Amino acid sequence: MESAANAQLTWRLDAEARAKAMLGAADAVDAAASELGPALTAEQGKPVAQAVAEAHGVARWLRYFALLELPREVIQDDERVFAEVVRRPLGVVAGITPWNFPLSMAGWKIAPALRAGNTVVIKPSPFTPLATLRLGMVLRDVLPPGVVNIVSGSDELGSWMTAHPLVRKISFTGSVATGKKVAAAAAPDLKRVTLELGGNDPAVVLDDADVAQVADKIFWGAFANSGQVCIAIKRVYVPERLHDDLVDALADRARSVIVGDGMAEGTQLGPINNKPQFERVGELVADALHHGATAVAGGKSLDRPGYFFAPTVLTGLSDGTRIVDEEQFGPALPVIKYQDLDDALKRANESHFGLGASVWSADPERAAGVAERLESGTAWINTHSALAAHQPFGGAKWSGIGVENGPWGLLGYTEIQVVYRSKS
Ligand code: NAD
């Protein structure tokens, strides 16, 4: 923290130098992506091509923010006063990340924090520290000392960071339960917080949707990264008429997708990352089956070493079952019938979560009208999980506070200063 605070005294002074250094950092990360990817697969499990792509994503974020300017706004300019609103950096930023996308989440914090003139200390999850530490080694060679610091350790290290007096902003990505602890830890000395927390994204299929067209996208929206995505589709609401066709299409894909070692050629889905999460997914699926659900595909772990769970499609259950109401964060998807769209939307919204949501329809205009009724930070139409550096991302309700990405995300690493000149 002291190293970050000392570095910030210089780093904050020259926006042009920062942009240049960040562009250099982006090139270095691109050049190291072929090493960062396998390190990430080894600890996280995802297919290596996706891990390499995640590393390139960090470079893309550095480039995007390097070229983004902090706004200055003149709010008064008359015979008496010249007043401008400028943006100041906050100081040392503590970034705490989860185990599902360690590199992306680190990049999402490092890039805007540095651009705004802050320095950062990042703590990856104890389940996935290696790729982030390796990223730190890459950045160490191209950025001034102390500007980016990576520390790895247990959950307790996270709470030491959030309590540390030198930290002025916490950017946290993780579960709702930990997010609430982080908010409480930030309160005594009024640290700024951005919280990107869990989700239970509904996909609402409208009655005019073409199942053959949407099934593949819904499948990957739910099962990519073996469901370990904050904005994975975690429940599907489908009109009774389309239910069986959609379930068949999803189950076909669940049965045929290649699950295996992320380093092996052809693997499409890796394992669940860690034992507690593997056990939790098993427990939620068992609970659903116990409450009368049918596993049309999967339903149990795969009989082989490792935390491999068969991609699972569940039917015959509704709200009030744990796997519908909670965040499963694994390769198991409940598909729920509805008769009345208003009722489906009410059920989709009856949740403390509000991260993402999607609407699926042959009529995008109609879908857009429905999308705006969903209580979520992002509402996609005929797709799910699409993100970009220029697109603000955040959660409604318990899914978060504040946003990351785009100019809005950049402003989250600043505070307003009014510079007021009297002309008299
Ligand atoms: P988690 O909350 O258990 O841990 C996240 C991080 O917080 C880890 O680095 C952990 O060590 C640290 N931590 C734990 N206790 C802490 C404390 N008291 N103080 C400070 N830090 C502490 O989450 P996880 O299991 O690693 O990740 C899965 C969760 O992350 C899911 O809920 C998922 O939806 C969410 N997530 C959200 C987003 C988003 O952008 N909204 C993105 C990815 C993941």
Side-chain angles (χ1 to χ4, degrees), residues 101-224:
F101 288 94
L103 288 178
S104 303
M105 296 300 100
W108 284 26
K109 299 182 190 319
I110 292 169
L114 296 197
R115 182 63 184 123
N118 307 282
T119 52
V120 296
V121 180
I122 300 281
K123 188 197 93 64
S125 163
F127 292 116
T128 53
L130 298 177
T132 314
L133 286 165
R134 186 73 190 84
L135 174 68
M137 290 165 71
V138 172
L139 296 177
R140 179 177 69 182
D141 292 341
V142 289
L143 293 173
V147 167
V148 173
N149 307 270
I150 316 285
V151 292
S152 79
S154 65
D155 294 353
E156 201 182 18
L157 177 61
S159 47
W160 294 342
M161 288 170 71
T162 56
H164 199 287
L166 283 178
V167 172
R168 290 314 309 148
K169 156 109 191 179
I170 304 166
S171 179
F172 173 82
T173 304
S175 62
V176 169
T178 312
K180 288 181 180 178
K181 289 185 198 162
V182 168
D189 56 1
L190 303 178
K191 293 182 175 83
R192 280 34 175 175
V193 287
T194 300
L195 302 175
E196 296 288 0
L197 309 179
N200 190 14
D201 289 13
V204 180
V205 180
L206 302 190
D207 52 12
D208 62 0
D210 178 345
V211 168
Q213 288 217 351
V214 303
D216 212 47
K217 286 186 176 181
I218 293 180
F219 178 82
W220 285 108
F223 288 90

Side-chain angles (χ1 to χ4, degrees), residues 393-407:
F393 174 69
K397 301 191 268 187
W398 286 8
S399 287
I401 293 179
V403 297
E404 294 192 289
N405 302 334

Side-chain angles (χ1 to χ4, degrees), residues 270-322:
I272 291 175
N273 174 259
N274 58 73
K275 190 164 185 227
Q277 187 59 26
F278 176 68
E279 287 172 350
R280 179 176 157 76
V281 172
E283 187 184 304
L284 291 181
V285 170
D287 176 79
L289 296 176
H290 177 72
H291 284 92
T294 304
V296 186
K300 54 181 180 356
S301 58
L302 292 171
D303 187 17
R304 59 173 100 152
Y307 306 136
F308 291 100
F309 201 90
T312 297
V313 177
L314 296 166
T315 60
L317 73 180
S318 190
D319 318 69
T321 318
R322 284 186 66 198

